[in-house]
Amino acid sequence: MSTVTQIQGPADYWETEPHHHPEGASTNIGFWVYLMSDCLMFAVLFATYGVLHGNLAAGPGPKDLFDLELVAVNTAMLLFSSITYGFAMLRMARGDKAGTLKWLAITLVFGLCFLSIELYEFSHMIHEGAGPQRSAFLSAFFTLVGTHGLHVTFGSIWLVTLMVQVTKFGLTAANQRRLMCLSLFWHFLDLIWIGVFTVVYLMGVI
């Protein structure tokens, strides 16, 4: 008695119909992947600073350059901006468009204050002859702190863009998702700065 072997087609092994995912379903996981890549970058910068911070090339060191009181004020600006962004998220959850925009604007002001103080610090150090080319320590310092400042700058531009979007279109599902992503980014920058303040400034002066 003969047995007939049935040849299976491709459709028997995998699905040929595309899957339909809810809009924005992959946004959160994708943004977390981006944040993890940013973590790796900052880890490299912290490691580089850890290796080079003692190479002063007979130039000024942390105790000669850092104004801890000014840096503490700058740190407070960024910490306050993280708190106010949290208030904006609470207002967003309640569907309060005006309240969300108000707290986002306050967050932006704190972020710009942070950047202004950081730029003042950089310009003062360069004016004193302590630019990034002066020593390996200063090269590592300007790279680490400057990269964080660049992130805050991009975050501020992103924040302004979202404020325009919310003003024009309201608290739509897409805008809420974007605000949540920026919230993750903003709090991430806060955590990185705490590391910078501790490792670079506090340990450098003490």
Side-chain angles (χ1 to χ4, degrees):
M1 185 177 182
S2 61
T3 303
V4 178
T5 303
Q6 183 179 7
I7 300 176
Q8 295 176 316
D12 295 319
Y13 294 102
W14 63 80
E15 297 182 23
T16 57
E17 293 297 322
H19 289 274
H20 297 284
H21 299 284
E23 183 183 357
S26 61
T27 300
N28 283 338
I29 184 64
F31 199 75
W32 274 110
V33 170
Y34 160 71
L35 286 182
M36 292 304 101
S37 69
D38 242 16
C39 275
L40 292 175
M41 181 186 68
F42 276 108
V44 171
L45 293 178
F46 272 108
T48 303
Y49 180 83
V51 172
L52 299 178
H53 77 280
N55 299 331
L56 305 180
K63 293 182 180 179
D64 306 313
L65 297 172
F66 297 159
D67 182 352
L68 206 55
E69 291 183 0
L70 181 65
V71 178
V73 171
N74 209 22
T75 301
M77 293 296 102
L78 198 60
L79 292 176
F80 286 147
S81 75
S82 192
I83 294 172
T84 55
Y85 202 110
F87 288 151
M89 292 296 96
L90 291 175
R91 291 295 180 180
M92 183 191 76
R94 297 176 184 175
D96 183 358
K97 174 183 171 182
T100 302
L101 289 171
K102 179 187 76 173
W103 285 110
L104 289 177
I106 295 173
T107 301
L108 178 63
V109 170
F110 279 129
L112 294 178
C113 287
F114 173 84
L115 289 173
S116 299
I117 294 173
E118 188 166 281
L119 288 174
Y120 167 78
E121 180 190 31
F122 281 4
S123 64
H124 178 71
M125 291 174 65
I126 293 172
H127 179 73
E128 294 293 321
Q133 75 283 356
R134 180 66 181 82
S135 65
F137 153 67
L138 286 168
S139 295
F141 167 80
F142 275 94
T143 302
L144 173 57
V145 179
T147 300
H148 179 272
L150 196 61
H151 277 68
V152 176
T153 302
F154 288 143
S156 299
I157 295 172
W158 187 4
L159 182 56
V160 172
T161 304
L162 286 183
M163 289 176 67
V164 173
Q165 290 288 317
V166 171
T167 301
K168 188 173 182 180
F169 301 109
L171 295 172
T172 62
N175 280 338
Q176 290 190 41
R177 189 167 61 249
R178 292 163 186 155
L179 286 169
M180 286 298 298
C181 286
L182 180 54
S183 176
L184 291 172
F185 181 75
W186 204 266
H187 294 313
F188 167 75
L189 294 181
D190 227 10
L191 291 174
I192 295 296
W193 182 254
I194 291 172
V196 172
F197 176 73
T198 304
V199 174
V200 176
Y201 292 101
L202 200 57
M203 294 178 64
V205 171
I206 294 177

